[in-house]
Amino acid sequence: MNQHINIIISGAYGKMGRSLIKELKKNNQIICVAALINPITYHIQKNQKKIKKKFSFPILTLEKLKKNTNINFDVMIDFSTPENSLENIKFCLQRNKKIVIGTTGFTNTQMKKIKKYSKKISILCSPNFSLGINLMCLILEKIFKILGEVNEISILETHHSQKKDLPSGTSLYLQSIITNFFNWKFLKKDILNYYYLNTKNVQKKIGSSSIRIGKVIGEHTVILSMKEEIIKITHQANHRNIFSRGALNSVVWINNKKNGFFTMEDTLKEVI
Ligand SMILES: NC(=O)c1ccc[n+]([C@@H]2O[C@H](COP(=O)([O-])OP(=O)(O)OC[C@H]3O[C@@H](n4cnc5c(N)ncnc54)[C@H](OP(=O)(O)O)[C@@H]3O)[C@@H](O)[C@H]2O)c1
């Protein structure tokens, strides 16, 4: 029986793709069998004869992979763009393969489609694969249980200036944890500042602030305001390998799962 898990990395030339390839060198269980890059970049590099054999696996585009039936894989990992992630999911659906998605910035409509596709294949989608952020989510739920009620919550996130989405996927995920827990209704007023939420005629709110500067990998602070005190919980990512490790652990986890929609929190709930 083959003990290895064969994966394809999509977005291989990006910051996360490069980090995954580096992290894989320390991993004996997972083997990369192909890497997918942006077709525009592929054609430019091909013309310049820059698609070199620097990796032990082929560099392709999704279209080329579709025509290649020799590449056999178990799970795809995608850290690219929302539009491309959806194309990758459709491809995995056709081949009945599993997919781990780290890409952020999906619209609600795109997310609904992903959940629909997960009825047929396993999809693990997490806006943040660091152990720390996922533990922070579990801790927050415990704090909410103890507090019972919170009036004001603010989320502050800082990322590097190249980041495309705003607020970050992690900030939106943290907001969804809060709204789901307290059953608050969502009323988006201003993307940069406040999300107002109404429950039982009392106005509650989640503040959302984003900073884009320099090379910050990612920092999220959740600030909970109670009557006479404030709790602040911060997670700071100091290295991209924390996301790569989480994504690779998720590959191992999802490899044994049948169809369904999962997050990294699901992978941790089994061990905590
Ligand atoms: N879940 C997490 O833990 C986590 C952590 C970090 C980042 N992220 C998210 O992951 C995504 C990627 O982040 P990053 O920092 O790696 O960004 P990045 O450096 O911009 O990398 C994205 C890569 O995707 C490539 N790409 C674009 N279209 C493609 C296509 N059609 N096929 C294949 N590749 C394509 C881009 O190629 P070109 O540059 O040639 O266009 C680029 O190399 C973002 O959404 C980010 O927010 C998630």
Side-chain angles (χ1 to χ4, degrees):
M1 197 177 98
N2 184 8
Q3 303 255 310
H4 290 124
I5 304 172
N6 290 341
I7 63 161
I8 291 178
I9 297 175
S10 168
Y13 277 3
K15 289 181 275 302
M16 277 308 301
R18 292 194 304 267
S19 164
L20 278 165
I21 292 169
K22 225 185 235 176
E23 202 56 34
L24 267 178
K25 287 183 184 153
K26 298 176 223 157
N27 192 308
N28 296 323
Q29 197 180 0
I30 304 173
I31 295 175
C32 182
V33 291
L36 304 183
I37 64 169
N38 186 338
I40 300 169
T41 311
Y42 180 89
H43 290 297
I44 295 171
Q45 292 209 351
K46 206 173 174 215
N47 287 340
Q48 294 171 350
K49 299 197 175 9
K50 277 188 182 165
I51 301 276
K52 287 181 191 151
K53 287 201 165 177
K54 62 176 176 177
F55 301 118
S56 55
F57 44 82
I59 307 281
L60 303 166
T61 62
L62 181 61
E63 289 314 307
K64 289 200 176 293
L65 179 68
K66 281 179 185 169
K67 289 175 198 147
N68 188 326
T69 46
N70 293 330
I71 296 174
N72 198 9
F73 71 102
D74 304 298
V75 185
M76 184 183 280
I77 301 192
D78 172 89
F79 280 86
S80 59
T81 63
E83 298 71 29
N84 183 52
S85 302
L86 276 164
E87 292 307 310
N88 284 335
I89 296 173
K90 283 186 213 158
F91 171 73
C92 288
L93 194 73
Q94 282 161 10
R95 296 265 178 111
N96 194 24
K97 302 292 179 192
K98 299 156 205 285
I99 182 163
V100 168
I101 302 166
T103 303
T104 58
F106 293 106
T107 61
N108 289 342
T109 315
Q110 286 172 327
M111 205 31 110
K112 271 186 198 154
K113 273 190 193 163
I114 296 178
K115 292 200 171 152
K116 198 178 108 194
Y117 294 140
S118 74
K119 290 193 173 126
K120 298 204 169 131
I121 53 162
S122 304
I123 302 179
L124 193 150
C125 185
S126 212
N128 196 310
F129 278 104
S130 71
L131 179 64
I133 274 286
N134 286 282
L135 288 178
M136 186 164 143
C137 293
L138 295 175
I139 290 164
L140 275 171
E141 283 169 356
K142 291 236 166 7
I143 292 177
F144 295 153
K145 250 184 213 161
I146 296 166
L147 292 178
E149 199 172 334
V150 194
N151 281 326
E152 271 181 284
I153 305 179
S154 226
I155 300 170
L156 169 65
E157 56 103 352
T158 308
H159 281 88
H160 54 89
S161 35
Q162 290 173 339
K163 185 161 177 65
K164 290 181 184 139
D165 51 330
L166 183 149
S168 69
T170 307
S171 175
L172 292 171
Y173 187 62
L174 288 164
Q175 286 174 37
S176 74
I177 284 180
I178 298 160
T179 51
N180 287 343
F181 188 90
F182 292 112
N183 207 9
W184 286 357
K185 278 184 196 148
F186 195 73
L187 182 66
K188 200 155 85 174
K189 276 269 173 82
D190 176 350
I191 194 88
L192 280 175
N193 287 305
Y194 281 100
Y195 294 84
Y196 289 89
L197 300 122
N198 292 297
T199 172
K200 293 178 197 154
N201 301 325
V202 184
Q203 196 162 68
K204 313 261 176 180
K205 61 185 180 183
I206 302 180
S208 167
S209 309
S210 303
I211 297 171
R212 296 288 173 262
I213 193 153
K215 294 185 175 175
V216 179
I217 293 176
E219 191 174 306
H220 293 87
T221 299
V222 177
I223 309 166
L224 309 174
S225 172
M226 295 169 287
K227 259 189 191 159
E228 282 152 343
E229 51 195 325
I230 279 183
I231 300 174
K232 287 187 192 177
I233 305 176
T234 297
H235 177 265
Q236 188 180 315
N238 290 337
H239 204 292
R240 283 193 175 81
N241 62 12
I242 59 172
F243 307 127
S244 311
R245 264 183 232 145
L248 293 175
N249 288 339
S250 299
V251 163
V252 177
W253 188 87
I254 204 178
N255 194 40
N256 296 318
K257 293 279 176 273
K258 294 218 172 92
N259 54 337
F261 182 86
F262 308 101
T263 66
M264 187 174 158
E265 251 187 290
D266 293 316
T267 71
L268 295 176
K269 275 176 187 161
E270 284 185 6
V271 287
I272 292 174

